[in-house]
Every structure is written in C-alpha cells, then in structure tokens.
Amino acid sequence: PVAVVQGVVTRNGQPLPNVEVTYTAVKADHGTKAEAQAKTDAAGAYRIAGPNGSGLPPGTYRVLLRDVAPTTGKKTAKPR
C-alpha cells in the first residue's frame, strides 16, 4: 500500500510559497529507501505522490523544508 502526502506549510499562520518539501524514508516497511519532494504553491500547499507517482510506502520519514524563493540578488553589508 502507498499514500499520497499533502499539506500546507505556514509560518505564524501565513502560507509559505516556494518551499521545497522533501520526505526521506528513515525506516521504511518496504525495505528500500524512498525519497520524494514537492514545492509549495502560492497558498503554501504541496502534494507528494512519491518517486513513481502512486504515493509513498508506509514507514517513518524525515521531513526537510527548504526555502527556494527567488532572491533579489542584492547583498547587504554586515556591521563590523
């Protein structure tokens, strides 16, 4: 059996767009190490269907969130 994982990433109640959400199997019941990722939309929502598109197998997963929002390219000086 497999399951599609979906959710919404928020900070202080506000949705976070452009966040990469990665699920990595720590202890999988299926015997292989699965990993899948998705990027949140403008409403902070994501949907992960797994490596083959049908879902993630049962198991324990580590979830990593990474901000991948575009940057302005501006650098700020650090005070000395």
Side-chain angles (χ1 to χ4, degrees):
V2 293
V4 172
V5 179
Q6 57 189 17
V8 178
V9 178
T10 63
R11 182 182 320 157
N12 299 325
Q14 299 300 312
L16 290 176
N18 299 313
V19 172
E20 185 178 87
V21 181
T22 304
Y23 278 67
T24 304
V26 175
K27 181 180 178 187
D29 296 342
H30 51 80
T32 60
K33 191 163 186 159
E35 180 173 296
Q37 60 186 210
K39 188 174 164 184
T40 60
D41 62 16
Y46 68 91
R47 183 177 187 274
I48 294 179
N52 62 4
S54 63
L56 292 173
T60 302
Y61 288 82
R62 176 176 295 124
V63 180
L64 174 68
L65 304 175
R66 187 171 71 106
D67 184 1
V68 291
T71 61
T72 63
K74 295 179 183 177
K75 295 183 179 181
T76 56
K78 293 183 180 180
R80 291 184 175 199

